[in-house]
Amino acid sequence: MADAELQTFTSIMDALVRISSNMKSIERELHCPVCEEMVKQPIVLPCMHSVCVLCAAEVLVQRGYPPPELPPEPNTPTSSPITRSPRQTRRPPPKTDRLDRVIRTVCGTHPGRRRKDSPPVIMLFPCPTCGKDVELGERGLADCLRNLTLERIVERYRHTVSLGSMAVMCQFCKPPQALEATKGCADCRSNFCNECFKLYHPWGTPRAQHEHILPTHSFRPKEKITKEMNYVFANQDSVQAQITQVESGIAQTEVNSAVAKEQSNQCVSELRSVLVERQGALAMLLEGARAKRAGALNAQLSEKQSLLENAGLLTYTQELLKETDQSCFVQAARVTHNRLVKAIEKLQHFSLSADPSFRHFQMDVSRELKVLSSMDFIQAPLAPVIDTQKTLAYDQLYLCWRLPQDSAPAWHYSVEYLRKVGGAGALWGRVLSEGSSGSNGTHCSWQRLDDVGGTSAVIDKLEMDSVYILRVRGCNKAGFGEHSEEVYLHTPPAPVLSFCLDSRWGLHAERVALGKGQTYARSVPGMTLLQAADRALTSCDLTSDLLVADVSITQGRHYWACSVEPGSYLVKVGVGVEAKLQEWFHLPQDMASPRYDPDSGHDSGAEDAQDCPPPFCFLTMGMGKVLLPKCGASNTSTGPLTAPLPPRLGLCLDFEKGRLTFYDAHSLRVLWEGTVDCSAPVCPAFCFIGGGALQLQELIANRSTEQNPPRRVTIQTRATDAGH
């Protein structure tokens, strides 16, 4: 016990040493920025900085403003006689001797005058802290509030400094042998030496639980700020390490900003060089077109000028007509005639030999200007949006996302996932804040898939029946962007069973068709119902088509999922004993009879064997609804209930327990639970009554591999006649 007390006392003394070493730094926060002394009667300027009221008055007088009215009492709601501190009532009014000296020095003797003789003056005060001229208003300093909080801090600081050298004596030692106190009790509000503290706080009594503090002359109840201050004192090494990191960050900022500036200048210089080069090439093209068109127009000009009187062709023709030698005239007249014909034709159909407008040499740089004006530093990608409709957990976890339209492109993505501690039960769309933990407060580390090239990813080797939190973010040259919203995915409760559809007893091709891979089936009513339409008022002919899996289950727990088309008439999904399925399939039953109930597996005579589980367990779906049987853990009503048809239906068979559970595969919410006889091999089964379609859930592992060649499937159909 003594060692613990000594260690506590040593830590307290170390804290006192640290506090005393920081006194000067605290004192700097309490100085007036004008007089650079401890602030006295501070007021709050409109810029939220504080100065002494007399210092503010001196500054205003020195700037030529009339002497301000000084508030003798704090102009604040806390200054009422009820709420004012007793020390405030004893505080003397501000001394104005120094202000009077400044007034006489700057303005001489200032004669009194009435304020209403001149218009009000708007005072501007130069704040020495922020360097701005702040407007005080018409009343000047009278509108400024007193900073009572700062005053009280200054008083406490001065009180602490004055008591720093005064010893606190034990209040329970008998004089004249009183010892110096080593502890203070916050509950007893007294100071004790070690012996007296033990005497008045016996071990095993409620007083032993009192909180001991440092000896003090003023006992006040602690606030949260004490623990926060102690936490800061206890983590000085961390503070120093963070200071080092900040200083390193400042240095790196200077270096990296210089590098980025150089790269920016280089990019702009390259653009400028390309523009200059392109400008020269365009100028050459323009000059070539100008020279070509000018040559054509000059030739046309010479030709037209030759048609003028006393010039060119006409002068030559006139001289030719004076020729007297017939042979010479005929020889020259033929050429001159042709030239005149062409000249007349061009005169009658005149057009410029070249287009002088240069319309085809105009440049449209609006797109380039838009690109250049929007030229900016590359931005990191925005937070991706996870597609919750395509994302699912099956044999593996498939995550799909996209970037917002206004996002910068991403070079690759980082997918992060975390197993939620504390059980399942989370729903889609629930979002955790950054740095949060699981529901029980346990922190776990995120696992990552780095350098994902596309907008989807597959995660394998996950634990069954667990909830995983997923998020994704993009990366480009600017670095990683923000994380997407975190979403939850619930993994299946058992290993996924992979199978295809197989009837094994014949296929009625007119009514049932299987898709590629034998994971899709569609049933149509066919001609049977059409032919029985004339007997619809007296009887009902219903046909049921049975499909079973090509595998049988003999042990363990297995999970599979399928989707039923909402427009289906009636589709039954479940399991059954393989031998009983074949027997039931080959023995026609009256489907309208009250003794026939495929959902519970009870057939005729089931009342005599209530202790035996049924050989079948089906759930009926149709017309966008799910029929929940009246016997079930989730249904205590007297009759069956209906629920909306989920997009995907999940089934989990526990062979050893003989229990089949139906889920909403999207959220793994339990819909219904039934029992089935598992004394013999059972297999998944599907029954169509009327038109309908279903799709088995494809394994995520098979999405990137080629589909296996389709296996041959047979299906058998039977018709039953249910009379009304």
Side-chain angles (χ1 to χ4, degrees):
M1 185 68 180
D3 294 340
E5 292 179 354
L6 180 60
Q7 184 177 2
T8 303
F9 181 74
T10 303
S11 62
I12 292 174
M13 294 304 296
D14 292 340
L16 286 175
V17 172
R18 288 195 297 268
I19 293 175
S20 62
S21 64
N22 291 331
M23 282 296 185
K24 293 188 178 297
S25 61
I26 296 175
E27 187 175 348
R28 286 196 299 268
E29 300 292 333
L30 308 179
H31 277 187
C32 171
V34 178
C35 62
E36 298 183 354
E37 296 180 358
M38 197 74 68
V39 67
K40 299 176 183 178
Q41 296 180 341
I43 59 173
V44 181
L45 299 174
C47 60
M48 304 310 294
H49 296 128
S50 299
V51 294
C52 300
V53 62
L54 289 180
C55 295
E58 291 180 1
V59 172
L60 290 177
V61 172
Q62 291 175 358
R63 297 196 72 175
Y65 291 109
E69 295 182 0
L70 300 181
E73 291 293 333
N75 188 13
T76 174
T78 60
S79 63
S80 62
I82 299 177
T83 60
R84 190 180 305 147
S85 171
R87 287 180 296 183
Q88 295 178 9
T89 61
R90 299 193 300 267
R91 182 181 295 112
K95 298 180 180 180
T96 59
D97 297 341
R98 188 175 61 174
L99 180 60
D100 293 339
R101 291 195 300 268
V102 174
I103 294 174
R104 289 194 297 268
T105 303
V106 177
C107 305
T109 59
H110 183 75
R113 64 181 179 184
R114 300 174 62 184
R115 294 178 56 88
K116 63 180 181 180
D117 294 341
S118 61
V121 179
I122 303 300
M123 298 185 182
L124 297 177
F125 183 85
C127 177
T129 303
C130 61
K132 298 180 180 179
D133 288 342
V134 295
E135 183 176 329
L136 299 180
E138 296 181 359
R139 299 181 58 199
L141 298 180
D143 287 334
C144 296
L145 300 178
R146 285 277 290 275
N147 195 338
L148 297 180
T149 302
L150 183 57
E151 276 191 84
R152 292 165 186 165
I153 293 176
V154 171
E155 290 181 3
R156 288 198 296 268
Y157 173 77
R158 288 175 172 171
H159 183 67
T160 302
V161 172
S162 64
L163 294 179
S165 59
M166 296 175 56
V168 181
M169 306 306 294
C170 176
Q171 299 175 234
F172 295 89
C173 290
K174 295 182 179 180
Q177 298 179 355
L179 300 178
E180 185 176 350
T182 58
K183 295 180 180 178
C185 181
D187 298 284
C188 299
R189 304 176 68 84
S190 302
N191 297 309
F192 301 85
C193 63
N194 286 335
E195 296 299 327
C196 292
F197 188 85
K198 295 178 182 178
L199 180 63
Y200 287 91
H201 297 79
W203 181 259
T205 63
R207 286 194 174 187
Q209 305 299 325
H210 287 186
E211 181 182 6
H212 58 85
I213 59 176
L214 290 175
T216 179
H217 290 287
S218 177
F219 287 93
R220 293 182 179 177
K222 291 187 176 181
E223 300 169 350
K224 292 182 180 180
I225 192 172
T226 304
K227 294 183 178 180
E228 297 171 352
M229 180 182 65
N230 293 335
Y231 178 82
V232 174
F233 286 152
N235 290 272
Q236 289 299 298
D237 294 339
S238 299
V239 173
Q240 188 60 44
Q242 293 175 6
I243 290 175
T244 303
Q245 292 181 6
V246 173
E247 291 176 347
S248 176
I250 293 174
Q252 292 179 3
T253 299
E254 296 298 328
V255 174
N256 293 335
S257 63
V259 174
K261 184 177 181 180
E262 181 64 27
Q263 292 177 350
S264 176
N265 294 337
Q266 183 178 357
C267 292
V268 174
S269 299
E270 292 177 356
L271 288 175
R272 188 182 295 110
S273 300
V274 172
L275 287 175
V276 171
E277 181 180 356
R278 188 58 181 168
Q279 181 184 12
L282 294 176
M284 291 180 61
L285 291 176
L286 188 61
E287 178 62 24
R290 185 204 63 78
K292 182 177 180 181
R293 295 187 182 189
L297 291 174
N298 289 329
Q300 188 179 24
L301 178 61
S302 300
E303 182 179 356
K304 296 302 179 183
Q305 289 177 346
S306 65
L307 298 180
L308 295 176
E309 186 178 2
N310 301 324
L313 181 60
L314 292 181
T315 303
Y316 175 77
T317 304
Q318 291 176 354
E319 294 296 329
L320 179 62
L321 292 176
K322 297 177 182 180
E323 179 63 44
T324 57
D325 188 351
Q326 188 68 20
S327 59
C328 293
F329 174 80
V330 173
Q331 183 179 2
R334 185 180 295 108
V335 177
T336 304
H337 172 71
N338 292 335
R339 292 180 61 187
L340 288 174
V341 170
K342 290 181 179 180
I344 293 172
E345 182 179 359
K346 291 180 179 181
L347 183 63
Q348 294 175 350
H349 303 87
F350 173 76
S351 64
L352 294 177
S353 61
D355 185 8
S357 64
F358 279 75
R359 289 188 299 267
H360 301 293
F361 288 87
Q362 301 296 323
M363 295 181 62
D364 181 10
V365 295
S366 58
R367 180 170 58 90
E368 288 76 9
L369 288 176
K370 183 178 180 181
V371 172
L372 289 176
S373 61
S374 62
M375 183 174 60
D376 198 356
F377 298 106
I378 186 172
Q379 301 292 326
L382 297 179
V385 179
I386 295 181
D387 189 344
T388 57
Q389 298 299 322
K390 296 181 180 179
T391 298
L392 74 154
Y394 200 47
D395 57 314
Q396 296 173 344
L397 194 150
Y398 179 74
L399 183 65
C400 183
W401 64 87
R402 59 177 175 82
L403 280 177
Q405 293 183 354
D406 54 346
S407 171
W411 294 355
H412 57 83
Y413 297 90
S414 175
V415 178
E416 301 178 1
Y417 58 98
L418 171 68
R419 182 174 178 268
K420 183 177 181 293
V421 180
L427 299 177
W428 271 101
R430 182 177 176 185
V431 180
L432 289 179
S433 59
E434 184 67 23
S436 60
S437 60
S439 59
N440 62 350
T442 305
H443 291 266
C444 301
S445 59
W446 290 87
Q447 299 182 4
R448 291 198 306 271
L449 295 178
D450 294 325
D451 299 333
V452 178
T455 57
S456 62
V458 175
I459 305 174
D460 56 1
K461 299 179 181 179
L462 301 179
E463 298 187 23
M464 293 183 299
D465 200 14
S466 300
V467 173
Y468 283 86
I469 310 170
L470 299 101
R471 64 187 186 186
V472 62
R473 58 176 178 169
C475 180
N476 56 18
K477 191 175 183 180
F480 281 99
E482 296 293 330
H483 284 100
S484 67
E485 289 188 347
E486 298 172 357
V487 294
Y488 284 17
L489 272 185
H490 195 158
T491 55
V496 174
L497 179 68
S498 176
F499 60 88
C500 295
L501 299 175
D502 183 7
S503 71
R504 307 183 189 177
W505 303 309
L507 174 66
H508 200 295
E510 181 185 355
R511 290 200 304 268
V512 178
L514 298 181
K516 183 179 180 181
Q518 299 181 196
T519 59
Y520 174 80
R522 174 174 289 277
S523 172
V524 294
M527 294 295 297
T528 305
L529 289 180
L530 181 62
Q531 294 173 356
D534 57 347
R535 307 195 309 272
L537 296 178
T538 58
S539 65
C540 180
D541 290 291
L542 295 179
T543 58
S544 60
D545 298 301
L546 183 67
L547 287 170
V548 297
D550 59 356
V551 296
S552 299
I553 301 174
T554 57
Q555 63 178 356
R557 300 176 70 243
H558 303 274
Y559 176 85
W560 63 95
C562 65
S563 301
V564 176
E565 188 176 278
S568 301
Y569 183 66
L570 287 178
V571 178
K572 293 179 176 289
V573 179
V575 298
V577 178
E578 187 174 9
K580 293 291 184 179
L581 279 175
Q582 186 174 5
E583 178 183 351
W584 170 74
F585 191 75
H586 283 290
L587 293 178
Q589 302 291 336
D590 185 359
M591 301 186 68
S593 172
R595 298 174 58 86
Y596 174 76
D597 187 2
D599 285 336
S600 62
H602 286 207
D603 221 323
S604 59
E607 296 83 352
D608 302 332
Q610 294 187 7
D611 295 336
C612 298
F616 319 115
C617 185
F618 286 95
L619 199 62
T620 303
M621 283 147 282
M623 295 167 283
K625 300 290 184 180
V626 178
L627 180 65
L628 303 178
K630 57 185 178 182
C631 53
S634 61
N635 187 7
T636 58
S637 61
T638 58
L641 297 177
T642 59
L645 179 65
R648 292 186 299 123
L649 182 70
L651 295 87
C652 182
L653 175 64
D654 191 330
F655 188 86
E656 281 70 22
K657 295 183 179 180
R659 182 181 295 113
L660 179 64
T661 307
F662 294 86
Y663 297 90
D664 179 347
H666 191 65
S667 61
L668 279 188
R669 177 176 57 90
V670 176
L671 298 176
W672 185 74
E673 189 177 89
T675 58
V676 64
D677 182 14
C678 292
S679 60
V682 298
C683 59
F686 310 89
C687 182
F688 290 100
I689 302 176
L694 67 86
Q695 172 71 57
L696 297 180
Q697 179 64 56
E698 180 186 10
L699 294 180
I700 297 177
N702 293 343
R703 293 190 175 187
S704 58
T705 60
E706 296 182 357
Q707 294 285 349
N708 295 327
R711 289 173 286 187
R712 185 175 182 180
V713 177
T714 57
I715 190 168
Q716 186 172 348
T717 306
R718 65 181 176 87
T720 59
D721 186 13
H724 290 275

